Amino acid sequence: MKTEADVVIVGGGIMGLAIAYDLAKHHGQRNVVVLDQSYLCSGASGRNGGGVRAQWSSEDNVRLMRESVQICRDFAREHRINTWFRQGGYLFLARSDEKAKGLEESAKLQNECGLPTRMLTPSAARQVVPELSTEGVVAACYNPDDAVVFPWPFVWGYAEGARAHGVEVETFTTVTAIETTGGRVSAVVTDKGTIRTNIVVNAAGALSPEVARLVGVELPNHPHRHEICSSEPLKPWLEPLVADLSNGLYFSQSTRGEIVGGVSNHKVPSGADQRSSYRFLSLYSRALLQACPILGSVKILRQWAGLYDITPDSNPIVGKVDGLNGFFLSCGFMGHGFMMAPVIGKMMAKVIAGGPVPEVFERWNLRRFAQGSLLSEGMIIG
Ligand SMILES: Cc1cc2nc3c(=O)[nH]c(=O)nc-3n(C[C@H](O)[C@H](O)[C@H](O)COP(=O)(O)OP(=O)(O)OC[C@H]3O[C@@H](n4cnc5c(N)ncnc54)[C@H](O)[C@@H]3O)c2cc1C
């Protein structure tokens, strides 16, 4: 392992690797090290549902995720790896007038941003998914350009791309301390040695508060277990990812045929526990059969869990930390950091390389919590 680097990134999930890739490829920074305490894909980046969508309720998210969907679509060609990208759209269901109104307002905003999102009556939703039960559904919202992918090739693609441009990616290397000198970071201490550096990026996902604490910075985000499962493979029949905002249910069919999905489980306490539970299976089965009764005889083959990285206002924490030079944050991505990484990686790389700070990064800065200028986002799943 190197003993000196221009940039050290803590966390080899999709966020850390995307930043490293963009730093090396687009900003010529070759002396970059990515450190991960485990194997690639061990964090949320290897455990998620692979949903990428531009349907959001805030303009920042709509515009950024639209770009991210495009990067995801082109990823296979750029990185020469199969991503199982499937653009079948996202179909949101509302079971109350209040949720329907929220979808309607979001669809209007999305149309203003150039998205082809449209509101659907329950019967029109059945034209998109004929197997859907629309009992209790008040309205639906559909954007045919949203997509699902297989997450792992994105992590591998970024890692290989970064390595090809000179980045060192060190797995099974835990960051145990971060040294500072005169108000700026000066070294990263790991269980395999120390790397001297003036720039450290905290991309440790749901564990980012622990990494921030190493330099005395308190973050307001926390880990929260979310479970997910996958069925036996079926013939292709389900076009969009279906999401029900009333109970956090989502399910989609992967290119390989499995039905992959999850549901909210409000009884899960905060913490980094990643065990699977029977309660999840029971909640998921009930919600899934309510939405799509035909799936009653389908077998679940695998269930697993990962960590959402929850912030108080459902928006990320990115950029510099006031009072500590050289320490950057790229965390707090809730349950949608996978789809954010392609575009945020690019933007973070530009900022780290000395470029101007984008306006959205000012809004998403850590200082908003102390200032009480919290944001909102209403289209969170799960
Ligand atoms: C069940 C589930 C479903 C989801 N579905 C979606 C979805 O459909 N679409 C979507 O966009 N997002 C989804 N997400 C969210 C998405 O997976 C995450 O937001 C995203 O992967 C976060 O990426 P990351 O790189 O920030 O974090 P991670 O992938 O968690 O990577 C952080 C890395 O930091 C490492 N690390 C931590 N501490 C240290 C340390 N001290 N030293 C060294 N390394 C350290 C960890 O080992 C880890 O590999 C889902 C998440 C879950 C759990």
Side-chain angles (χ1 to χ4, degrees):
M1 195 172 73
K2 284 184 178 172
T3 54
E4 181 275 327
D6 292 336
V7 181
V8 174
I9 298 174
V10 187
I14 189 165
M15 197 58 69
L17 291 167
I19 295 168
Y21 174 75
D22 277 289
L23 268 174
K25 172 143 195 214
H26 300 295
H27 301 280
Q29 296 217 7
R30 304 289 153 104
N31 194 9
V32 176
V33 180
V34 179
L35 302 170
D36 200 288
Q37 64 187 6
S38 187
Y39 56 93
L40 296 184
C41 288
S42 61
S45 301
R47 297 164 177 266
N48 64 74
V52 293
R53 60 169 158 126
Q55 287 190 76
W56 291 92
S57 72
S58 66
E59 187 172 341
D60 283 336
N61 278 338
V62 175
R63 293 196 187 279
L64 290 174
M65 305 292 195
R66 185 184 190 194
E67 194 182 332
S68 242
V69 173
Q70 280 162 10
I71 301 174
C72 289
R73 192 195 54 204
D74 299 339
F75 195 93
R77 205 177 323 125
E78 182 174 348
H79 293 264
R80 307 183 67 78
I81 191 164
N82 186 358
T83 58
W84 283 278
F85 179 85
R86 198 172 66 73
Q87 207 155 19
Y90 257 58
L91 180 72
F92 279 94
L93 307 178
R95 291 182 187 275
S96 68
D97 290 340
E98 191 200 341
K99 292 271 185 230
K101 191 163 170 279
L103 283 185
E104 220 169 295
E105 284 166 4
S106 301
K108 189 165 169 278
L109 170 79
Q110 291 158 25
N111 292 156
E112 284 163 9
C113 296
L115 259 58
T117 310
R118 55 185 198 271
M119 290 298 291
L120 301 177
T121 60
S123 60
R126 284 190 62 140
Q127 283 168 18
V128 181
V129 182
E131 296 78 5
L132 206 64
S133 162
T134 49
E135 204 185 320
V137 174
V138 177
C141 187
Y142 176 57
N143 173 14
D145 291 348
D146 292 336
V148 289
V149 300
F150 182 42
W152 297 359
F154 283 83
V155 176
W156 296 331
Y158 274 128
E160 284 313 305
R163 281 180 176 131
H165 287 91
V167 173
E168 194 174 289
V169 180
E170 295 285 346
T171 52
F172 297 100
T173 307
T174 303
V175 173
T176 54
I178 299 172
E179 292 174 1
T180 60
T181 315
R184 92 162 291 135
V185 295
S186 53
V188 171
V189 181
T190 79
D191 56 355
K192 300 224 177 108
T194 297
I195 308 172
R196 284 192 317 282
T197 183
N198 282 328
I199 296 182
V200 175
V201 184
N202 181 354
L207 302 182
S208 55
E210 290 177 22
V211 172
R213 234 166 264 140
L214 299 176
V215 283
V217 171
E218 279 303 317
L219 298 184
N221 48 325
H222 66 268
H224 194 244
R225 180 184 77 193
H226 275 257
E227 295 181 63
I228 180 168
C229 65
S230 157
S231 77
E232 60 187 330
L234 309 172
K235 269 192 196 164
W237 61 277
L238 178 63
E239 272 293 308
L241 182 149
V242 180
D244 185 338
L245 287 176
S246 64
N247 55 11
L249 170 75
Y250 65 92
F251 61 100
S252 67
Q253 185 167 31
S254 74
T255 309
R256 296 180 302 183
E258 306 119 333
I259 303 298
V260 177
V263 72
S264 297
N265 182 352
H266 297 296
K267 288 205 172 151
V268 175
S270 296
D273 174 13
Q274 294 194 87
R275 281 174 299 181
S276 295
S277 74
Y278 176 77
R279 180 178 156 77
F280 162 78
L281 274 188
S282 157
L283 287 171
Y284 176 69
S285 313
R286 251 180 277 155
L288 186 65
L289 295 203
Q290 180 193 28
C292 205
I294 197 174
L295 287 171
S297 54
V298 171
K299 294 176 191 65
I300 301 288
L301 286 195
R302 248 169 30 91
Q303 86 178 102
W304 66 99
L307 300 175
Y308 271 27
D309 181 6
I310 305 286
T311 60
D313 64 357
S314 306
N315 278 275
I317 310 171
V318 297
K320 297 177 183 177
V321 174
D322 295 337
L324 182 57
N325 287 330
F327 191 64
F328 291 84
L329 300 170
S330 194
C331 54
F333 291 100
M334 304 286 298
H336 51 273
F338 182 82
M339 66 182 96
M340 288 197 119
V343 70
I344 298 297
K346 275 181 154 187
M347 294 165 79
M348 275 297 295
K350 216 182 256 181
V351 171
I352 293 165
V357 178
E359 272 180 34
V360 60
F361 275 28
E362 294 291 359
R363 286 190 282 284
W364 285 350
N365 192 280
L366 175 64
R367 77 177 75 87
R368 75 178 184 274
F369 298 101
Q371 290 171 342
S373 29
L374 298 197
L375 305 161
S376 68
E377 172 51 66
M379 293 185 74
I380 302 287
I381 305 175

